[in-house]
Amino acid sequence: MVISIRRSRHDEGEKLVAVWCRSVDATHHFLSAEYRAELETLVRSFLPEAPLWVAANAQDEPVGFMLLSGQHMDALFVDPDVRGMGVGRLLVEHALSQAPALTTNVNEQNEQAVGFYKRMGFRVTGRSEVDDLGKPYPLLNLAYLKG
């Protein structure tokens, strides 16, 4: 599969929200339905305007994206139809090219994502009992460590 990494475009907000929805629904089974709906409302309010890096397929359609703020990756989501095909790895490698001391947070209950980050060379540096909105979904703080 041919994947290119590029900046998001204003006209693809709905496509990016759809990637987020499909990704979360495939990996975040631990979220309550109410909280999942609350998060989607929040994501719809900011995602179309966010300065995202997009993984696009050969037809230039988004299949994944990340939000990078300085040395911190705030978000990484990949469409479940292309999981396991290197899309997440390409996005992380792009982030590392921009931010060699990359950090991120991941839901502790998202075991697939935790395993992915560990395989990519991240190590747990801390833990929070609550997520960024103060809800009881623990976060692991991760940092990229070469070797």
Side-chain angles (χ1 to χ4, degrees), residues 13-130:
E14 277 303 312
K15 291 177 183 177
L16 294 168
V17 169
V19 168
W20 181 89
C21 289
R22 290 172 46 75
S23 178
V24 167
D25 290 346
T27 59
H28 290 62
H29 304 291
F30 51 90
L31 296 177
S32 71
E34 297 81 15
Y35 191 46
R36 161 62 179 78
E38 181 181 334
L39 288 173
E40 182 175 342
T41 299
L42 184 64
V43 165
R44 285 185 180 281
S45 74
F46 80 86
L47 195 65
E49 302 299 325
L52 303 173
W53 288 101
V54 172
N57 63 17
Q59 293 74 41
D60 200 33
E61 294 292 324
V63 294
F65 65 86
M66 72 175 166
L67 177 59
L68 190 60
S69 302
Q71 296 288 317
H72 189 74
M73 186 170 45
D74 296 300
L76 174 68
F77 293 93
V78 175
D79 190 293
D81 286 349
V82 298
R83 279 188 43 216
M85 297 182 184
V87 174
R89 174 176 292 278
L90 284 173
L91 284 165
V92 169
E93 288 171 352
H94 183 78
L96 288 168
S97 76
Q98 309 279 314
L102 190 64
T103 61
T104 194
N105 299 324
V106 64
N107 287 102
E108 184 176 58
Q109 294 154 296
N110 187 347
E111 295 172 1
Q112 295 169 344
V114 171
F116 165 77
Y117 285 117
K118 287 182 175 178
R119 288 190 303 278
M120 290 295 300
F122 288 81
R123 296 295 171 255
V124 176
T125 59
R127 183 179 183 275
S128 170
E129 287 293 326
V130 295

